[in-house]
Amino acid sequence: MMDKPATPRLSVDIVSDVMCPWCIIGWLRFQKVMAHFAGRLDFRVQWHPFELNPDMPPEGEDAAAHVQRKYGISAEQSRANSGKMAAVAAELGFTFNRGPGFRMRNSFDAHRLLTWAGALEEPGQTAATGVQTALKLALFRAHFTDNRDVSDHGVLADVAASVGLDRARAAAILTSDDYAEMVRVEEAYWAEQNITGVPAFILDGRMLVPGAQDPEVFIRVIERKVLADAA
């Protein structure tokens, strides 16, 4: 009896920021891509840091005012854009609760915890995702759905504990400089790769798919550039 051929495995590097609404939308769409290729292709997902606002002060900034200032749009345009994103997210099962008190936050410490979580995963793990993805999604929910301050060390430690990570270790990391240099090195690397916006999906270490694309876009790329090459 001939052995069954091994299922091809595709590495997926996602450059992303917890502050980015299109990043969670992009991930939820990509989950549909992974489901589409179930049985034909295995995936290995890893997240990488990007700060939309690296100079964001500790107190954060009112989100509506921030968007209007940064992109030069009116309050009406800002509300319309937020409504569009909320509707798209809702269709994918994610809730945006961007009330009057919603603020943009500094995400550097969140990236430090995500880098730690990624380091805990086994490079050869068979599952597509691990504790790093669980933490990333919990941080998205904490920020966008629960309106929690994900720059606050107590909140970050609680979120880490909620996905099974050691809260005491998370708290210790946050009160130190642990993983800070790793985050800065990664951010510099992706900047050198001309990643200027997020989300950015890098497939097989060589194919960049920018933005929160519809699943069909990813499916076409994978069919033509991954599975066809492997045939």
Side-chain angles (χ1 to χ4, degrees):
M1 182 182 295
M2 295 182 62
D3 291 337
K4 182 180 178 181
T7 304
R9 190 165 178 83
L10 180 66
S11 66
V12 183
D13 294 288
I14 309 175
V15 186
S16 164
D17 192 4
V18 174
M19 293 295 108
C20 169
W22 286 109
C23 287
I24 178 59
I25 290 171
W27 167 248
L28 294 170
R29 287 175 170 171
F30 192 76
Q31 285 186 303
K32 294 179 179 291
V33 178
M34 293 194 294
H36 175 84
F37 287 106
R40 299 174 58 200
L41 192 62
D42 290 336
F43 293 84
R44 176 70 172 95
V45 176
Q46 293 175 292
W47 298 83
H48 304 279
F50 186 100
E51 292 177 86
L52 289 171
N53 304 289
D55 299 321
M56 183 64 67
E59 68 274 13
E61 182 181 4
D62 176 79
H66 170 82
V67 169
Q68 292 168 46
R69 175 182 59 78
K70 185 173 183 177
Y71 299 105
I73 61 177
S74 68
E76 291 74 16
Q77 289 172 313
S78 177
R79 283 193 293 271
N81 290 343
S82 293
K84 175 185 176 182
M85 286 187 292
V88 172
E91 289 181 357
L92 295 165
F94 188 86
T95 301
F96 283 170
N97 285 328
R98 301 179 64 161
F102 185 70
R103 298 180 74 79
M104 298 295 290
R105 303 291 183 179
N106 188 296
S107 59
F108 186 77
D109 284 338
H111 286 303
R112 288 203 291 138
L113 287 191
L114 286 161
T115 301
W116 165 54
L120 294 175
E121 295 185 0
E122 293 293 334
Q125 71 178 40
T126 57
T129 62
V131 71
Q132 189 192 40
T133 295
L135 178 59
K136 184 78 172 187
L137 299 183
L139 288 167
F140 277 134
R141 287 192 298 271
H143 177 58
F144 287 111
T145 304
D146 301 332
N147 197 11
R148 301 174 75 187
D149 179 357
V150 294
S151 68
D152 179 86
H153 286 185
V155 170
L156 285 170
D158 286 344
V159 174
S162 77
V163 298
L165 289 164
D166 186 326
R167 191 189 190 284
R169 177 62 181 133
I173 289 169
L174 293 167
T175 55
S176 71
D177 289 328
D178 289 359
Y179 297 97
E181 188 61 24
M182 289 180 67
V183 171
R184 294 187 183 101
V185 167
E186 273 220 76
E187 289 179 334
Y189 171 78
W190 293 112
E192 290 169 0
Q193 306 308 307
N194 297 316
I195 302 298
T196 58
V198 288
F201 293 76
I202 298 89
L203 309 179
D204 198 30
R206 60 190 174 89
M207 292 171 285
L208 169 65
V209 181
Q213 302 288 350
D214 288 330
E216 291 74 16
V217 173
F218 286 102
I219 290 169
R220 284 199 301 272
V221 170
I222 292 170
E223 290 279 8
R224 295 173 183 176
K225 300 295 186 179
V226 177
L227 293 178
D229 290 350

